Amino acid sequence: MQKQTFKTYFQNRIRNEKAFPAVLIAYLLFCIASFIYFAVIGQTRNLLMCLIYTLFLPLIMVVEKKLHIRLVAIFTFLVLFIAVGSILGACYDLYSILPWFDVLLHGIAGFTFACFGFTLLMKLIGEPQDSKKFFACLLFGIMCSLAIATLWELFEYAAGALLGSDMQEDTIINGFGSYLLSGTHNEILEVDGIVQTVIYYGNGKTLVIDGYLDIGLLDTMGDMLTCLVGVVVYCVVIAVDWFKGRKRLFRHIIPQIEDMTMYKVPHEEFVLVQGLGEADELIVE
């Protein structure tokens, strides 16, 4: 059997599903336009981000071909929407303009990676035909999404600790409880009603904050909880769709095990060997 190249695979993929390439092209155009824009205004970090994010496109094809799965159009749209959202948030400062936008992205990420986790186990045990396999895939999707969320938060922490970035964004709060300030773990010192914090630098300068600065904890936990909300939505949507017997959303959201018959090469290059039952193979004449 002749091994299919990435070029042939990509051409056949586009030929057999029109929505999929439309999503990829729209994403590519956005990255190129953003790259040009940031190059013109001289923002090096942002143009490099746009360049790096274009790598999502070949990565999608590699994941599909190597894992023999088909990333359906809606799933692909959600993945690339998260990538676009990251550019909009960090490069176009949408995180500051719309504070809830980061929450939206983490919720969608929780849903999307849970769907991908469902497919990973389905790849190992086959498409679920009964409740036992279905719940196994559903649970694996939950664990996969939460694990990816944890790894992402560790990455944000490492970026701050090693590179001096602020991916774990700070939050202004007006109170907290502390065992450290109380001097014992048998009592919490409650500090409430903070209206101002003054930071004194060694050179005599000061920085005044209207409240108290939480350095990343609330952002991290909020992101994890938002991811969990996305996972809950995934459970409800997929379970209801499955047990009602429709499986419409299932087929349009969950990446599917690749059907190799969708990507058959031209007949003049290959012939089917008959008599092999379900294990028929395409071979070169």
Side-chain angles (χ1 to χ4, degrees), residues 226-237:
T226 304
C227 175
L228 181 60
V229 171
V231 169
V232 171
V233 173
Y234 145 84
C235 290
V236 173
V237 169

Side-chain angles (χ1 to χ4, degrees), residues 1 21 25 37 54 63 93 110 117 124 164 168-169 172 204-205 222 262:
M1 183 171 67
I25 291 172
Y37 170 72
T54 59
V63 168
D93 204 28
L124 296 176
Q168 293 178 300
E169 296 190 12
I172 298 296
K205 293 183 178 180
M262 290 180 62

Side-chain angles (χ1 to χ4, degrees), residues 42-50 90-92:
Q43 294 185 1
T44 304
R45 187 208 69 161
N46 291 342
L47 69 86
L48 288 176
M49 279 189 64
C50 295
C91 301
Y92 290 95

Side-chain angles (χ1 to χ4, degrees), residues 270-284:
F270 295 86
V271 294
L272 284 171
V273 176
Q274 302 298 329
L276 298 179
E278 295 182 355
D280 290 353
E281 295 187 2
L282 293 171
I283 62 172
V284 179

Side-chain angles (χ1 to χ4, degrees), residues 28 131 152 162 272:
L28 179 60
S131 297
W152 175 256
L162 301 177
L272 284 171

Side-chain angles (χ1 to χ4, degrees), residues 19-75:
F20 180 77
V23 172
L24 299 187
I25 291 172
Y27 175 78
L28 179 60
L29 291 176
F30 172 79
C31 289
I32 292 175
S34 296
F35 177 86
I36 295 172
Y37 170 72
F38 291 121
V40 170
I41 64 176
Q43 294 185 1
T44 304
R45 187 208 69 161
N46 291 342
L47 69 86
L48 288 176
M49 279 189 64
C50 295
L51 183 62
I52 291 172
Y53 270 74
T54 59
L55 298 178
F56 271 64
L57 298 180
L59 179 62
I60 284 175
M61 301 310 300
V62 169
V63 168
E64 276 205 342
K65 192 171 187 299
K66 293 300 183 181
L67 296 182
H68 298 291
I69 61 177
R70 180 168 53 88
L71 303 181
V72 292
I74 294 179
F75 177 87

Side-chain angles (χ1 to χ4, degrees), residues 69 114-124 254-257:
I69 61 177
C115 292
F116 187 71
F118 190 106
T119 300
L120 289 180
L121 189 61
M122 186 169 66
K123 175 70 179 175
L124 296 176
I254 301 293
Q256 300 297 299
I257 305 302

